[in-house]
Amino acid sequence: MKTNEETLTIPQEAFDWYDEYAHGDIDRRTFLTRIASLSIAGLSAGVIGSALIPNYAKAEQVSFNNPAIKATYEEFPSAQGHGTGGGYFVVPTTPANDKPMPAVLVVHENRGLNPYIKDVARRLAMQGFIAFAPDALFPLGGYPGNDDEGRAMQRSLDRDKIEQDFIAAAQWLNAHKMTTDKLGVVGFCFGGYISNLLAATLPSKIDAAVPFYGTPASSELQGKVKGPLLLHFGENDKRVNATWPEYEKVLKANNAQYTAHVYSKAQHGFHNDSTSRYSPKDAELAWQRTVDFFNTHLK
């Protein structure tokens, strides 16, 4: 039998309010108060809220102890950032070989290295890439285990230093003895922004960038983007989508190589399989396009 959460039809207003909440524009109490104002027969604010707030038990597609991969926690120097950064490093173990492999940097949302992003790194390792997912919250002890606290922790850090940490992580991964000179990046929401930022600040090192619903780098940096980029957008993601037309003009003026996909009726965060914003069909298609893109440009 299907649960209420599985059969629940959530109004667009609730998705929009969750987007505000997830980006720190409103607090949890305000979000739940707004949800309570919706008139949906037989469904409480708690049911709707719990359907939208991540349940990371749903997000594991690749077990952390899968014998085809090996996951460790690694640190890297970040002189212009917080001094030292750290993250989740996942290596394919099959087929066993000592040859360097192409690498992909995986960048989390605005709340630290949560279980969903770690699972994305494992999914990439299953596809034959070395994946490294840095944690912006490493200087504060790492992702705390819940998104509200993680979001507050990330907002407390210097944004410029966070960006420098991810730039340093990309350089460290590119120079790693286990990786080839081919480097990709994929990121989600804040991580989508970082993917665009890295494409602009490290155009000679980033061989393939995949921003999922990410805003562009600052206007003074956008002109440095060469690509290739593969950009994914949800049709109902008004906040991010509003930034795309001007960014696309810059990419065209740069003669940058890019492909953009807009997924019909999809929400911001549609790839994240831990909430009701998840759109399985769109997520699977976007992910297959992403893997194909990395196979083309990194292998």
Side-chain angles (χ1 to χ4, degrees):
M1 178 180 294
K2 291 186 176 181
T3 66
N4 282 345
E5 184 174 324
E6 290 171 326
T7 59
L8 177 59
T9 299
I10 299 175
Q12 185 60 44
E13 300 101 304
F15 286 113
D16 295 341
W17 294 335
Y18 179 77
D19 193 47
E20 291 184 59
Y21 163 58
H23 290 92
D25 297 325
I26 59 174
D27 60 20
R28 186 186 184 96
R29 176 177 292 182
T30 302
F31 167 63
L32 292 177
T33 298
R34 289 184 181 181
I35 291 296
S37 72
L38 294 174
S39 178
I40 304 177
L43 295 174
S44 67
V47 170
I48 301 171
S50 65
L52 288 167
I53 294 170
N55 176 359
Y56 290 119
K58 298 179 179 179
E60 187 176 81
Q61 294 188 21
V62 179
S63 172
F64 68 90
N65 58 9
N66 189 303
I69 60 170
K70 180 181 179 181
T72 57
Y73 291 91
E74 304 293 337
E75 297 182 7
F76 59 90
S78 180
Q80 303 301 313
H82 289 94
T84 303
Y88 189 64
F89 188 75
V90 193
V91 180
T93 59
T94 55
N97 65 70
D98 297 324
K99 295 180 180 179
M101 290 174 275
V104 178
L105 193 75
V106 183
V107 190
H108 59 67
E109 305 125 317
N110 65 338
R111 64 212 69 167
L113 182 58
N114 60 44
Y116 155 64
I117 297 297
K118 292 167 78 173
D119 194 68
V120 170
R122 294 194 294 268
R123 295 174 206 176
L124 282 165
M126 294 293 289
Q127 296 294 328
F129 301 96
I130 290 178
F132 184 54
D135 189 351
L137 304 184
F138 179 82
L140 300 178
Y143 176 71
N146 72 84
D147 282 8
D148 280 346
E149 188 178 348
R151 189 180 300 110
M153 289 169 65
Q154 188 159 326
R155 293 187 73 172
S156 76
L157 291 169
D158 184 291
R159 175 72 171 240
D160 291 338
K161 287 189 175 182
I162 291 176
E163 292 177 3
Q164 289 298 324
D165 286 341
F166 281 103
I167 291 171
Q171 294 170 324
W172 174 83
L173 183 59
N174 189 232
H176 199 284
K177 65 181 181 180
M178 296 181 68
T179 66
T180 67
D181 62 352
K182 294 295 185 181
L183 176 63
V185 58
V186 61
F188 307 85
C189 186
F190 166 77
Y193 160 75
I194 292 293
S195 299
N196 282 317
L197 175 70
L198 293 177
T201 56
L202 300 174
S204 64
K205 290 187 181 294
I206 301 298
D207 299 289
V210 185
F212 274 77
Y213 26 85
T215 55
S218 61
S219 57
E220 61 267 24
L221 291 175
Q222 291 174 24
K224 299 180 181 180
V225 177
K226 298 177 181 178
L229 286 86
L230 174 65
L231 305 103
H232 301 296
F233 299 97
E235 183 183 24
N236 290 341
D237 187 4
K238 296 178 182 178
R239 180 185 60 86
V240 170
N241 294 352
T243 68
W244 172 235
E246 290 303 314
Y247 187 29
E248 184 174 29
K249 288 180 183 178
V250 175
L251 295 179
K252 287 180 177 179
N254 293 354
N255 290 318
Q257 183 181 348
Y258 75 93
T259 302
H261 297 285
V262 179
Y263 297 84
S264 178
K265 299 182 180 179
Q267 307 293 333
H268 182 88
F270 71 81
H271 183 267
N272 187 332
D273 50 358
S274 69
T275 86
S276 289
R277 297 193 295 177
Y278 175 54
S279 174
K281 182 179 178 180
D282 296 323
E284 290 168 11
L285 176 57
W287 186 247
Q288 188 57 58
R289 285 170 168 166
T290 298
V291 171
D292 291 345
F293 185 71
F294 285 148
N295 281 333
T296 297
H297 294 287
L298 303 182
K299 289 186 177 179

